[in-house]
Amino acid sequence: MKIVVIGGTGLIGSKLVSKLRQQGHEAVSASPNTGVNTVTGEGLSEALKDASVVVDVSNAPSWEDAAVMKFFETSTRNLLTQEAASGVRHHVALSVVGTQQLSESGYFRAKIVQENLIKASPIPYTIIQATQFFEFLKGLADFSMIGETVHLPHALFRPMAADDVASAVAAIAMEPPVNGAIEIGGPEEFRIDDLVRRRLASLKDPRQVISDPNARYSGARLGERTLAPGKDARLGKTTFETWLTQPAAQIPTKGEQTYQKKAS
């Protein structure tokens, strides 16, 4: 089966392409680095030819509100139009748990537009809403600085290892479209500020983490469970302590950021 992975050179995309190829599929890595640009349309028709499934794990290269909106709206429209022309039977998109509740954020307003475009398209689809990644906990601290301290809400979430994200996306891409959303998360529930504090300690990063009820998450105020998936979520297997022993945890990725601001 031919599966095109949009954003196939990013953190999740590269893992996903590898997993799909190991399963015997023809997995095509599509990104500007491989000559496929979903915003301009360059290389899109050729990449999608004879594809059965398209998995979009791409992200905007700019974090500015208008640029993020332009990216997701233009890219998603172009993808869905070309998929219809190419006979694609399943559109899979990676999104974020709680997206529909985070419209205060310019980033999440763009993700809401992306999800709504997918829902309105005739292409059968599955939206995968993931929680935060362990790999981006330090980045979350970096983007939450006020003066010399890190300010984060005490809200709940179930972060997961990027490898578990890719495994879940690979499995869902092979299933029939649900024409709805599937939530995925980690095996353990944490408080955001507590886990970031633990992550910084593991890196011997001396920054103090302050539990701040007014702290924003990508510009949006959080409720207690805004970022926590529901009871039907599919949960990964990698615990935080196990992840800390793995190579991905030893040295933060260059330019490490929250998933919501990660360029693919």
Side-chain angles (χ1 to χ4, degrees):
M1 180 185 294
K2 180 177 178 179
I3 305 160
V4 178
V5 179
I6 307 298
T9 58
L11 174 64
I12 302 301
S14 58
K15 292 177 181 291
L16 177 58
V17 168
S18 177
K19 289 177 184 293
L20 291 171
R21 288 175 178 170
Q22 288 171 12
Q23 295 170 12
H25 299 292
E26 180 188 354
V28 176
S29 178
S31 75
N33 290 339
T34 64
V36 180
N37 190 316
T38 54
V39 174
T40 66
E42 177 189 1
L44 196 54
S45 176
E46 182 178 352
L48 266 57
K49 184 179 180 181
D50 299 324
S52 298
V53 181
V54 171
V55 184
D56 184 4
V57 295
S58 65
N59 215 328
S62 170
W63 312 334
E64 191 272 325
D65 286 1
V68 172
M69 179 65 76
K70 180 180 179 181
F71 173 83
F72 280 117
E73 187 168 19
T74 304
S75 175
T76 303
R77 286 187 188 279
N78 286 345
L79 265 177
L80 294 170
T81 297
Q82 189 56 54
E83 286 174 26
S86 301
V88 170
R89 300 193 296 272
H90 190 185
H91 178 94
V92 181
L94 185 61
S95 191
V96 185
V97 166
T99 287
Q100 298 292 330
Q101 303 173 56
L102 294 166
S103 60
E104 282 184 287
S105 162
Y107 179 89
F108 284 104
R109 285 195 296 272
K111 292 296 288 183
I112 289 169
V113 166
Q114 178 192 30
E115 290 191 6
N116 289 343
L117 285 170
I118 293 167
K119 294 172 185 176
S121 167
I123 309 293
Y125 71 92
T126 302
I127 296 170
I128 303 172
Q129 295 178 331
T131 59
Q132 181 63 268
F133 305 164
F134 292 145
E135 282 79 357
F136 300 145
L137 291 173
K138 178 186 174 296
L140 180 55
D142 295 343
F143 281 98
S144 302
M145 295 292 293
I146 298 179
E148 299 298 318
T149 57
V150 178
H151 287 245
L152 288 166
H154 194 57
L156 293 165
F157 71 158
R158 276 186 175 268
M160 61 193 305
D163 196 63
D164 284 353
V165 176
S167 293
V169 174
I172 292 168
M174 295 299 96
E175 298 172 4
V178 301
N179 293 321
I182 295 174
E183 292 184 328
I184 62 174
E188 305 164 292
E189 193 167 73
F190 299 96
R191 297 285 179 175
I192 296 172
D193 55 330
D194 290 341
L195 192 61
V196 171
R197 193 175 289 115
R198 287 172 62 182
R199 176 56 174 151
L200 293 184
S202 76
L203 294 169
K204 296 181 171 52
D205 186 323
R207 285 178 292 174
Q208 182 182 9
V209 177
I210 305 296
S211 179
D212 184 349
N214 296 313
R216 300 297 181 103
Y217 186 85
S218 195
R221 190 182 299 275
L222 297 182
E224 172 79 351
R225 300 195 63 85
T226 303
L227 298 181
K231 60 182 178 62
D232 295 326
R234 301 189 187 188
L235 304 180
K237 297 180 180 179
T238 307
T239 66
F240 180 65
E241 289 299 325
T242 297
W243 178 80
L244 283 177
T245 68
Q246 298 175 351
Q250 305 313 306
I251 301 174
T253 305
K254 184 179 180 181
E256 188 181 43
Q257 315 162 13
T258 59
Y259 166 70
Q260 285 75 17
K261 293 182 176 181
K262 175 183 65 66
S264 295

